[in-house]
């Protein structure tokens, strides 16, 4: 990186703000768009270079780690000693082919994960020519002015030029977990990193307040860049499924070695030739191990990540896509998830008066009416004070872009900004430098306060949950007079609040206080003896698609619990409007009162939890997990991180979520939409189903090969299939078919049965029986076609067996598209990949038999056309039997358990 601004040796902390600005050639208004572009070209992207990038060579070499390769290489060496150079070459070709196929799959998967890492980028807000703009964190340049607020990740190292109780959690950098309060000041040269109160650093997070800072260093020049490698990125960790498959694979390998040894010994006792026995043993080892399986699983999961993203679920951990398919309870937020999070202030209550606010969306146009009469809001002191407090206790910015009005920030806050602009009063322009303090909103405080300096006269503005704000108020403003708050007044206000909440309005109380020259240090001091100004009644329309999604959850045996910080009444009204059934609402106090067992019981019927804090969320995840549920939990706030981590699937909101929540999550919900969670579960179930289908398919194929070879041995025949032929089947034809099964569309009733138990083995007894029967059938057929002609010509017989087993397998693919539905139900052509795989495999096999180069490689000879037809005719009954079996089983009424039957908690 070029330039001298970016060097980390610079002592920025010793300078004052003006000097920093000058050195970086910028201003408090930020840079211009052109200048930003120029600097980006000069300094490069603001990113941490990853230490190690997986090289193709590493991925290739990784393919040689398997037991199979060990066996094969040993076999190749033994053949050298036996003087069988042709065998040595054949075996080495197998090794290379195996590695090549494994490499191709893994490289694909690696690339898919890389692409995902790119999508994970965070955004940051900067000033461009004085206006706030959201940009990709990677495009930050030195000289940019960052707009920082609670919940944001600091994208680069920067010098603080404004701090309203700006506090950063710097534990990622310094290990110190107590937040550091930032200030505008100059410091001593030798101040240690942890003491640099006038700087914020890349990789740390803002946990309170707001402020602005000028970027001094980006990318590898940041403090964080120096300790690079600590970046949290997606890990390509093993998923529970791949772990189970690996165990299965290891067991199979061990069995294969034992069987091979046994066969060689038995053969030698029969006085057969050592060399022939040896090749047979190698064949068997290759036949037993499903070489294609790990690669196909990895690739299917990687492709699945792309699918999930299309459904608006951004997977941060590979295992999450798998767990998602097993979710049995979704704990969901209300705001943004069940509702649209498009907040419009509809009603203002100021003591003694209801005022309706007209207009739609974020456009700042609309009348204020009282009892049907249009009024001038600027002429009413109560409304003026109310709107001013709402505007000044706020982070949201309203702006017009391309004729469309947009809110940058929280929609709840945006609603207040829009309302203030509808009654525009010029003196309401806010100079950010006048904000002296901020006690930020979080889900346990349920309020927020800013303190402004209006020319030596400090003023506190607060907003928050009605019962909280009214509890902190000692006065109220009525018709221009400040009156002491007595019980009668407080009760009257709370009654008004209830009536508003019952209508489904989100209600926010607003208050203020004159402080004179006093500047409170703590929230307790700043938020006492407030003057209550009134309530904002905000509508947030429900999402239309949620009703249907809830019905799907119901039939899929997935419990849904609404967990909201909002009031019980609003929560109930919203639940009713989206059709979430519940017998009542549990408030924070109820939850605290109940023991874990009682709460677990209640949660079965009461599915609305209101005024909940992050601590409650954590407790609820624990209780539900304890009861055996697989819990998906949504979250957005900085306090939600522990609950998100603890849940089986932590889901952060893509739009309204803080960076902190996103980093703690397994999945980021791109559009915040509840429906997308359900879509994600649907996709997760489909993926798992398909992995199960092709795993069984591949294993049945292996059993077929084993039976053919072992059968030949028992009947004292020559080797039925050569090792290279078996490997070819396992890797090429079966591999292609398995991938196609992986693309199978979801079965129509996939969301009409309960979630599968997470620790159920990939193969249960019934499945074992099924694949054994099918495998035996295929193996015996193969043996049969071999026996027909081996005496005349061994190569011809092997070609028949080789082609035969492939044809039988290809027909068998159709059996594995569904375990329960007939082809007529799922549609013969509904999976084009299957059609393509079948056609391609036949073409390849024709090539293998008739093209001389392949003939040498795979020891094949040309086969008369009639033989193809015979093989197909022999194979078809396999399909008929499968179809008949499924039909009978379904008619016999072996029903899968519908979701509703057992509920979602094992205790119920
Ligand atoms: P939810 O996201 O479930 O609606 P929150 O935890 O975001 O709930 O909010 C809980 C309550 O805190 C809201 O009902 C509201 O009264 C209050 N609140 C929400 N946002 C703000 C804010 N930005 N400033 C002050 N109070 C807020
Ligand atoms: Mg919220």
């Amino acid at each position: 990186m070029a330039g001298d601004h970016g060097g980390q040796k610079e002592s920025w902390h010793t300078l004052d703000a003006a000097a920093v600005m000058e050195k970086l050639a910028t201003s408090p208004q930020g840079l211009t768009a052109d200048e930003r572009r120029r600097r980006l070209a000069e300094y490069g992207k603001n990113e941490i270079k990853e230490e190690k990038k997986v090289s193709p060579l590493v991925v290739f070499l990784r393919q040689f780690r398997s037991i199979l390769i060990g066996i094969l290489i040993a076999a190749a060496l033994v053949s050298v000693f036996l003087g069988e150079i042709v065998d040595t070459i054949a075996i080495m070709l197998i090794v290379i082919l195996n590695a090549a196929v494994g490499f191709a799959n893994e490289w694909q998967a690696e690339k898919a994960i890389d692409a995902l890492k790119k999508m994970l980028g965070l955004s940051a807000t900067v000033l461009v020519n004085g206006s706030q703009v959201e940009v990709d964190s990677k495009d930050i340049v030195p000289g940019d002015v960052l707009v920082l607020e609670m919940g944001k990740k600091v994208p680069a190292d920067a010098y603080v030029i404004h701090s309203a109780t700006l506090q950063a959690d710097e534990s990622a950098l310094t290990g110190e977990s107590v937040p550091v309060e930032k200030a505008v000041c100059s410091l001593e040269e030798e101040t240690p990193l942890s003491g640099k109160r006038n700087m914020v650093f890349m990789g740390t997070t803002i946990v309170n307040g707001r402020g602005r800072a000028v970027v001094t260093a980006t990318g590898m020049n940041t403090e964080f860049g120096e300790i690079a490698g600590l970046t949290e990125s997606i890990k390509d960790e093993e998923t529970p499924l791949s772990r189970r498959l690996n165990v299965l694979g290891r067991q199979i390998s061990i069995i294969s070695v034992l069987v091979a040894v046994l066969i060689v010994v038995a053969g030698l006792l029969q006085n057969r030739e050592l060399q022939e026995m040896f090749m047979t043993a190698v064949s068997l080892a290759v036949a037993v191990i499903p070489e294609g399986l790990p690669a196909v699983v990895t690739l299917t999961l990687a492709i699945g990540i792309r699918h999930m993203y299309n459904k608006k679920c951004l997977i941060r951990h590979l295992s999450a896509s798998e767990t998602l398919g097993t979710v049995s309870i979704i704990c969901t937020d209300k705001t943004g998830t069940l509702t649209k999070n498009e907040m419009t202030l509809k009603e203002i209550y100021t003591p003694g008066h209801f005022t309706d606010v007209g207009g739609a969306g974020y456009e700042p146009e609309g009348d204020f009416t009282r009892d049907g009469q249009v009024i001038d809001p600027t002429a009413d002191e109560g409304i003026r004070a109310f709107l001013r407090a709402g505007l000044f206790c706020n982070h949201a910015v309203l702006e017009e872009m391309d004729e469309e009005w947009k809110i940058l920030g929280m929609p709840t806050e945006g609603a207040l900004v829009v309302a203030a602009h509808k009654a525009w009063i010029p003196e309401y322009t806010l100079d950010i430098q006048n904000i002296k303090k901020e006690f930020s909103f979080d889900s346990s405080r349920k309020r927020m306060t800013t303190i402004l300096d209006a020319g030596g006269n400090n003023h506190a503005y607060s907003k928050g949950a009605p019962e909280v704000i009214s509890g902190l108020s000692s006065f109220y403003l009525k018709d221009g007079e400040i009156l002491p708050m007595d019980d009668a007044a407080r009760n009257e206000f709370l009654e008004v609040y209830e009536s508003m909440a019952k209508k489904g309005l989100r209600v926010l109380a607003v208050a203020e206080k004159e402080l004179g020259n006093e500047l409170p240090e703590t929230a307790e001091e700043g938020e006492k003896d407030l003057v209550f100004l009134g309530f904002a009644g905000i509508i947030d329309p429900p999402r239309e698609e949620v009703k249907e999604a809830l019905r799907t959850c119901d039939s899929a045996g997935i419990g849904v619990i609404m967990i909201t910080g909002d009031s019980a009444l609003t929560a109930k009204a919203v639940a009713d409007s989206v059709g979430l059934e519940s017998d009542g609402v549990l408030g924070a106090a109820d939850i605290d009162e109940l023991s874990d067992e009682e709460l677990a019981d209640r949660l079965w019927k009461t599915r609305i939890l209101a005024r909940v804090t992050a601590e409650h969320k954590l407790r609820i995840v624990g209780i539900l997990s304890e009861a055996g549920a697989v819990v998906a939990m949504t979250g957005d706030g900085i306090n939600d991180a522990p609950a998100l981590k603890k849940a089986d699937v932590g889901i952060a909101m893509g739009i309204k979520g803080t960076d902190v929540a996103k980093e703690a999550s397994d999945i980021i919900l791109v559009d915040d939409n509840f429906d997308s969670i359900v879509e994600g579960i649907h996709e997760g179930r489909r993926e798992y189903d398909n992995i199960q289908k092709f795993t069984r398919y591949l294993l049945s194929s292996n059993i077929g090969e084993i039976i053919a070879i072992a059968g030949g041995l028992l009947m004292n025949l020559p080797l039925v299939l050569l090792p290279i032929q078996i490997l070819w089947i396992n890797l090429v034809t079966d591999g292609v078919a398995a991938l196609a099964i992986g693309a199978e569309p979801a079965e129509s009733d996939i969301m009409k049965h309960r979630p599968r138990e997470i620790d159920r083995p990939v193969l249960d007894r019934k499945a074992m029986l099924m694949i054994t029967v099918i495998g035996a059938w295929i193996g015996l057929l193969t043996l049969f076609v071999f026996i027909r002609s081996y005496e005349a010509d061994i190569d011809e017989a092997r070609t028949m067996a080789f082609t035969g087993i492939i044809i039988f397998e290809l027909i068998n693919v159709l059996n594995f598209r569904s375990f329960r539905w007939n082809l007529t139900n799922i549609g013969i052509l509904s999976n084009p990949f299957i059609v393509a795989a079948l056609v391609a495999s036949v073409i390849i096999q024709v090539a293998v038999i008739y093209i001389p180069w392949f003939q040498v490689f795979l020891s094949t000879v040309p086969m008369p056309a009639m033989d193809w037809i015979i093989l197909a005719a022999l194979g078809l009954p396999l399909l008929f039997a499968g179809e008949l079996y499924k039909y009978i089983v379904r008619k016999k009424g072996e029903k899968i358990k519908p979701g509703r039957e057992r509920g979602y908690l094992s205790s119920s």
Side-chain angles (χ1 to χ4, degrees), residues 693-709:
K693 288 173 190 172
F694 68 63
T695 304
R696 292 182 187 180
Y697 166 74
L698 289 178
L699 292 178
S700 79
S701 162
N702 286 23
I703 293 178
E705 292 155 11
I706 297 169
I707 302 250
I709 293 171

Side-chain angles (χ1 to χ4, degrees), residues 372-549:
Q373 301 289 313
V374 176
I375 60 157
D376 175 8
T378 61
D380 183 295
E381 197 175 332
I383 300 270
R384 281 173 70 111
F386 177 94
L387 292 177
R388 183 180 56 190
L391 188 65
F392 286 176
C393 178
N394 211 309
H395 289 179
V397 176
L398 175 68
E399 59 182 16
E400 191 181 11
M401 264 168 64
D402 311 324
E403 319 239 307
E404 205 193 327
W405 290 89
K406 286 214 174 80
I407 284 291
L408 205 66
M410 288 192 206
T412 304
E413 301 199 329
L416 293 169
V417 176
V418 172
H421 280 73
K422 282 176 180 169
W424 185 239
I425 304 167
E427 81 226 31
Y428 285 179
T429 326
L430 174 67
D431 179 356
I432 214 82
Q433 294 292 341
N434 290 339
I435 304 183
K436 293 296 171 203
K437 290 266 168 193
E438 178 179 299
F439 307 113
S440 296
F441 168 79
D442 75 39
S443 65
S444 46
R445 282 170 31 84
K446 295 202 167 30
R447 61 183 181 275
M448 151 176 176
T449 299
T450 55
I451 295 178
L452 260 72
D453 175 4
N457 181 15
N458 293 337
H459 216 108
Y461 298 100
S462 303
K463 69 180 186 325
E467 65 276 24
V468 176
I469 294 294
S470 84
L472 295 167
S473 298
S474 308
F475 308 95
Y476 62 97
L477 180 72
K478 184 172 185 180
D479 297 325
E481 255 183 285
I482 294 181
L483 303 171
M485 180 83 90
D486 50 19
D487 282 348
R490 189 168 277 134
N491 286 338
E492 186 189 326
F493 298 151
L494 288 180
E495 260 168 47
V496 169
Y497 154 49
E498 271 183 28
S499 73
M500 290 169 82
K502 268 193 192 132
K503 290 190 273 186
L505 291 173
R506 183 174 170 86
V507 188
L508 221 57
V510 176
E512 66 176 356
K513 181 167 74 163
E514 292 270 359
L515 293 164
N517 55 10
E518 199 186 320
L519 190 60
E521 274 306 313
T522 62
E524 288 79 58
E525 290 170 55
E527 294 174 336
K528 67 174 189 212
D529 299 333
L530 301 174
V531 180
F532 172 78
L533 298 175
F535 295 128
I538 299 170
I539 58 157
D540 178 13
R543 290 181 182 268
E544 285 101 29
E545 59 276 34
V546 167
K547 254 191 191 156
E548 185 58 40

Side-chain angles (χ1 to χ4, degrees), residues 13 32 44 52-53 135 167 183 289-290 315 375 392 585-586 590 631-632 651 672 684 703 726 847:
H13 62 282
T32 62
K52 48 175 192 259
K53 195 117 181 78
V135 298
Q167 293 175 346
I289 300 173
I315 306 289
I375 60 157
F392 286 176
V585 181
L586 286 175
D590 308 317
V631 186
I651 304 176
D672 288 11
I703 293 178
I726 298 173

Side-chain angles (χ1 to χ4, degrees), residues 63-345:
Q63 309 304 321
F64 291 90
R65 280 187 316 202
S66 73
I67 297 183
L68 173 78
I69 298 288
I71 297 175
L72 289 178
I73 290 180
L77 287 177
V78 175
S79 348
V80 173
F81 284 117
L82 293 175
E84 293 293 335
I85 298 305
V86 179
D87 283 352
T88 311
I89 293 172
I91 295 173
M92 287 321 287
L93 277 176
I94 297 179
V95 171
I96 290 167
L97 181 66
N98 183 61
V101 172
F103 169 79
N105 276 312
E106 223 180 282
W107 188 243
Q108 266 319 101
E110 204 75 52
K111 277 207 320 221
I113 288 171
D114 263 0
L116 191 68
K117 281 183 184 160
K118 293 214 179 73
M119 294 191 284
L120 285 176
L122 296 173
S123 63
T125 311
V126 297
L127 291 183
V128 179
N129 247 348
S131 10
Q132 296 192 15
V133 178
E134 217 172 305
V135 298
D136 188 334
S137 288
K138 293 204 174 68
D139 296 338
I140 301 277
V141 293
D144 264 336
V145 175
L146 300 174
V147 178
L148 298 170
E149 64 177 50
M150 181 269 301
K152 274 270 169 208
K153 191 116 191 159
V154 180
D157 288 1
Y159 181 95
V160 176
I161 55 171
H162 170 237
S163 162
T165 331
L166 187 71
Q167 293 175 346
D169 173 351
E170 298 185 338
S171 52
L173 199 59
T174 62
E176 173 57 62
S177 58
V178 180
V180 185
E181 182 149 345
K182 299 295 172 181
V184 184
C185 60
S186 326
L187 299 169
E188 296 282 303
E189 172 73 47
E190 49 277 359
T191 313
L193 186 62
S194 57
K196 291 187 181 167
R197 289 182 297 121
N198 57 357
M199 302 277 300
V200 286
F201 302 102
M202 177 193 242
T204 63
T205 28
I206 303 300
V207 292
N208 182 71
R210 65 154 105 199
R212 297 212 168 153
V214 195
V215 173
T216 54
T218 58
M220 292 305 284
N221 290 331
T222 60
E223 296 289 341
F224 200 70
E226 283 199 5
I227 53 164
L230 291 184
T231 36
E232 217 211 326
S233 56
I234 337 169
K235 300 183 193 69
D236 334 33
E237 86 277 52
E238 273 195 329
T239 76
L241 178 70
S242 51
R243 205 171 312 128
R244 278 202 299 277
L245 287 175
N246 284 344
V247 171
L248 187 71
R250 259 196 301 279
Q251 289 166 345
I252 291 179
S253 306
I254 293 169
I255 296 174
S256 82
V257 174
L258 290 178
V259 171
V261 170
L262 210 71
I263 298 250
V264 174
V265 173
L268 290 178
L269 290 179
Q270 281 182 340
N271 269 334
R272 295 169 71 142
E273 243 184 89
L274 174 67
Q275 193 233 332
E276 191 202 338
M277 273 308 90
F278 177 72
M279 281 313 276
T280 311
V282 173
S283 281
L284 261 177
V286 176
V288 172
I289 300 173
E291 289 82 12
L293 187 57
V296 180
V297 171
T298 317
L299 193 55
T300 305
L301 285 176
I303 295 171
I305 286 182
R306 166 71 51 187
H307 282 235
M308 296 250 181
Y309 184 69
N310 292 340
K311 307 225 156 159
K312 306 280 183 258
C313 293
L314 176 52
I315 306 289
R316 294 188 69 240
H317 302 282
L318 204 52
S319 60
S321 68
E322 191 191 318
T323 321
L324 198 55
T326 65
V327 163
S328 60
I329 296 195
I330 308 173
C331 296
T332 174
D333 260 4
K334 169 182 69 71
T335 312
T337 328
L338 302 177
T339 67
K340 291 189 176 155
N341 208 9
E342 287 164 11
M343 308 262 182
T344 316
L345 198 164

Side-chain angles (χ1 to χ4, degrees), residues 16-95:
D16 65 10
V20 171
M21 289 288 176
E22 198 190 311
K23 254 193 133 141
L24 289 165
T26 183
S27 80
Q29 309 302 310
L31 303 166
T32 62
D34 282 343
E35 178 60 14
R36 293 192 73 242
R37 226 166 291 131
R38 199 192 62 70
R39 290 196 189 189
L40 189 60
E42 182 183 344
Y43 294 101
K45 288 259 180 197
N46 175 35
E47 55 192 0
I48 301 292
K49 301 244 170 11
E50 263 176 81
E51 293 266 330
K52 48 175 192 259
K53 195 117 181 78
V54 207
S55 79
L57 186 65
V58 171
V59 176
F60 185 72
L61 291 179
R62 239 191 260 164
Q63 309 304 321
F64 291 90
R65 280 187 316 202
S66 73
I67 297 183
L68 173 78
I69 298 288
I71 297 175
L72 289 178
I73 290 180
L77 287 177
V78 175
S79 348
V80 173
F81 284 117
L82 293 175
E84 293 293 335
I85 298 305
V86 179
D87 283 352
T88 311
I89 293 172
I91 295 173
M92 287 321 287
L93 277 176
I94 297 179
V95 171

